[in-house]
Amino acid sequence: SEIAILRSNLFIEDVIASVDANDAKALDAIDPELIDKSLVASLRESIAAALPFLFAQGAETTEAEAQARVERLIWSVRKNTSATRDSESFTILIAAKTRQPELSRVLAASMAETYIAQQLATRQQTASQANRWIEARIEDLALTVEEAESAVEDYRAKSFDSFGTSLDMMAR
């Protein structure tokens, strides 16, 4: 169902990417790792800021950390948002509840925008596929018509030859 799409990991990952594209720090307020920072993690972060060479990390670690962040945020977005179908119409109600009203608005709006964009992309892709199929079918039918017309002309030519008449005689 449409609600299952709105709750799926892939969809929520697209929402996270959309929010991050506008403000990379916006979702930090619901990132469990940043909310529940331990004393050790806070100290490590302070030391890393002061002495970055001690904590130098390669691109692989950064990529792994980014993926871990996305996985944490998927869980957190799912926990802080809801999507329900209005029983009296074809509308979907999307709500987000966080400690920051602006973040709640951004999350709900991003979910709606992402859903609409995905629906439009899917419909455009379907229309494009149908259009390609119709064009291929028209080409096939045009070849069939050409073959049939050629067969009719061949039949007429053979008929005229076997009955001793010519095309000029038939035209008169």
Side-chain angles (χ1 to χ4, degrees):
S1 78
E2 302 304 312
I3 303 302
I5 291 170
L6 290 165
R7 306 300 290 161
S8 74
N9 287 356
L10 292 175
F11 177 81
I12 293 173
E13 193 170 334
D14 289 345
V15 170
I16 291 167
S18 173
V19 172
D20 279 348
N22 293 326
D23 182 2
K25 299 285 185 182
L27 295 173
D28 287 354
I30 61 170
D31 187 342
E33 185 171 288
L34 299 178
I35 293 171
D36 300 328
K37 265 191 185 174
S38 67
L39 177 61
V40 173
S42 296
L43 286 173
R44 184 181 189 282
E45 189 175 283
S46 297
I47 294 169
L51 306 168
F53 60 88
L54 291 177
F55 296 93
Q57 299 170 350
E60 293 175 12
T61 305
T62 303
E63 187 175 319
E65 287 175 356
Q67 183 59 36
R69 176 184 176 265
V70 168
E71 289 174 11
R72 289 189 312 269
L73 287 174
I74 287 171
W75 173 85
S76 188
V77 168
R78 185 176 290 115
K79 184 179 104 178
N80 288 293
T81 60
S82 66
T84 56
R85 183 176 293 282
D86 184 358
S87 62
E88 296 180 16
S89 69
F90 291 107
T91 59
I92 296 173
L93 305 172
I94 298 173
K97 187 174 181 180
T98 66
R99 293 180 181 167
Q100 298 176 358
E102 180 61 18
L103 178 57
S104 297
R105 184 197 64 76
V106 166
L107 271 176
S110 292
M111 287 181 76
E113 289 169 4
T114 302
Y115 176 76
I116 290 168
Q118 286 182 357
Q119 290 296 307
L120 288 174
T122 300
R123 289 180 184 175
Q124 288 172 344
Q125 181 181 6
T126 301
S128 178
Q129 287 174 344
N131 197 21
R132 284 193 302 275
W133 179 85
I134 289 170
E135 288 172 353
R137 184 69 177 136
I138 288 171
E139 288 177 17
D140 289 345
L141 291 174
L143 288 173
T144 302
V145 167
E146 285 178 23
E147 290 171 359
E149 287 175 346
S150 178
V152 167
E153 289 198 24
D154 288 346
Y155 175 77
R156 282 185 184 160
K158 287 179 186 175
S159 294
F160 294 145
D161 288 343
S162 31
F163 293 120
T165 59
S166 69
L167 188 56
D168 290 335
M169 294 282 289
M170 292 298 287
R172 293 183 198 172

